[in-house]
């Protein structure tokens, strides 16, 4: 199938693997919708060089960004904006919001603020290590941003681990009753959580095992849900029969 969309993603190591939490959201959403796409991989410094050429703006350059070839090479940046765009531009594909965009937006915000920020702290030193030739570049740009060393920024890992457990609690309670975060249908909320946990899984398999699968109250439910989400967490859409 020829691609309709170009997805810009962040390359960390070779072979190219998806790991970046924000670009995973767009990749998994395209997979869920079954929209064919091609990935353009950018290394960290290339994001700053290449993305302004697409956005033609001085706004902070980030990925994900998509170019929709089917729609006159329309450029859309930012994972939430891309989700809303895909929902409108591809109405014949499975819905990300299932008629309740507000619930999905709430869970997006909840997972971003309560989980991603903490996961980032657990992961940041591993990102630096895995950045290979860009290790120093990554360290310097982040230390400038945080105005402190990465080690100081990370602080005590056990504090972040405890916060992740506490913040997963409400989600685990939902998954004890329903197969997905907003009920019986998979949607954007699940894609957000899967993307953030994929980031943890990729960078810190030890912490993923301890905090998610080993969660005392809902480890089994998280494991079953993770397996259900597996078909969307790939580098291309699953075949139509396996999609939902
Ligand atoms: N809110 C944005 C966040 C985008 C973002 O922070 N992307 C990261 C990758 S996960 C990035 O482009 N980083 C490049 C850099 O920091 O130099 C979204 O959801 O798209």
């Amino acid at each position: 199938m020829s691609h309709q969309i170009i997805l810009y993603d962040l390359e960390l190591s070779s072979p190219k693997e998806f790991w970046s939490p924000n670009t995973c959201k767009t990749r998994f959403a395209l997979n869920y919708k079954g929209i064919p796409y091609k990935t353009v991989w950018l290394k960290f410094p290339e994001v700053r060089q290449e993305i302004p050429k697409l956005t033609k703006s001085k706004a902070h350059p980030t990925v994900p960004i998509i170019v929709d070839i089917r729609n006159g090479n329309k450029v859309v940046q930012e994972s939430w904006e891309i989700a809303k765009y895909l929902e409108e531009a591809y109405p014949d594909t499975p819905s990300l919001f299932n008629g309740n965009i507000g619930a999905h937006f709430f869970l997006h915000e909840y997972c971003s603020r309560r989980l991603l920020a903490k996961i980032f702290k657990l992961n940041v030193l591993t990102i630096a290590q895995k950045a290979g030739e860009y290790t120093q570049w990554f360290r310097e740009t982040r230390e400038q941003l945080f105005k402190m060393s990465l080690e100081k920024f990370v602080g005590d890992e056990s504090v972040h681990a405890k916060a992740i457990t506490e913040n997963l609690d409400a989600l685990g309670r939902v998954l004890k009753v329903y197969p997905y975060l907003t009920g019986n249908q998979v949607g954007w909320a699940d894609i957000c959580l899967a993307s953030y946990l994929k980031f943890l899984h990729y960078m810190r398999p030890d912490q993923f095992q301890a905090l998610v699968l080993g969660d005392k109250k809902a480890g089994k439910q998280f494991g079953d849900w993770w397996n259900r989400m597996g078909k969307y967490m790939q580098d291309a859409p699953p075949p139509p029969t396996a999609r939902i």
Side-chain angles (χ1 to χ4, degrees), residues 99-124:
N100 194 349
I101 190 170
H104 287 275
F105 185 56
F106 168 74
L107 281 154
H108 175 158
E109 288 293 304
Y110 180 91
C111 293
S112 302
R113 283 162 207 282
R114 299 290 183 93
L115 292 172
L116 180 58
K118 319 283 175 205
I119 292 172
F120 183 73
K121 288 207 172 195
L122 291 184
N123 286 358
V124 71

Side-chain angles (χ1 to χ4, degrees), residues 8-10 19-26 43-48 51 60-65 77-82 108 112 116 120 137-138 141-142 145 188 196 199:
Y8 287 76
D9 202 338
L10 197 48
W19 62 276
S20 141
N22 291 303
T23 60
C24 277
K25 285 184 279 182
T26 301
K43 296 187 174 128
F44 266 113
E46 290 171 342
V47 171
R48 295 186 180 188
I51 297 304
H60 184 61
T62 54
V63 285
I65 191 162
Q77 186 176 23
E78 216 278 324
S79 59
W80 174 242
E81 293 304 318
I82 296 171
H108 175 158
S112 302
L116 180 58
F120 183 73
W137 182 94
F138 179 79
T141 54
R142 305 308 115 155
L145 191 69
W188 180 248
Y196 300 164
F199 183 36

Side-chain angles (χ1 to χ4, degrees), residues 16 37 67 72 83 108 114 135 142 171 217 233 240:
K16 298 173 179 62
Y37 58 94
V67 176
H108 175 158
R114 299 290 183 93
T135 290
R142 305 308 115 155
L171 306 179
K217 292 188 192 150
M233 298 162 67

Side-chain angles (χ1 to χ4, degrees), residues 33-58:
K33 283 184 167 291
I35 302 170
Y37 58 94
K38 177 180 113 172
T39 306
V40 173
W41 294 95
L42 298 177
K43 296 187 174 128
F44 266 113
E46 290 171 342
V47 171
R48 295 186 180 188
Q49 289 153 17
E50 298 305 317
I51 297 304
K53 292 183 199 162
L54 293 171
T55 57
K56 302 191 177 25
S57 126
K58 292 203 166 70

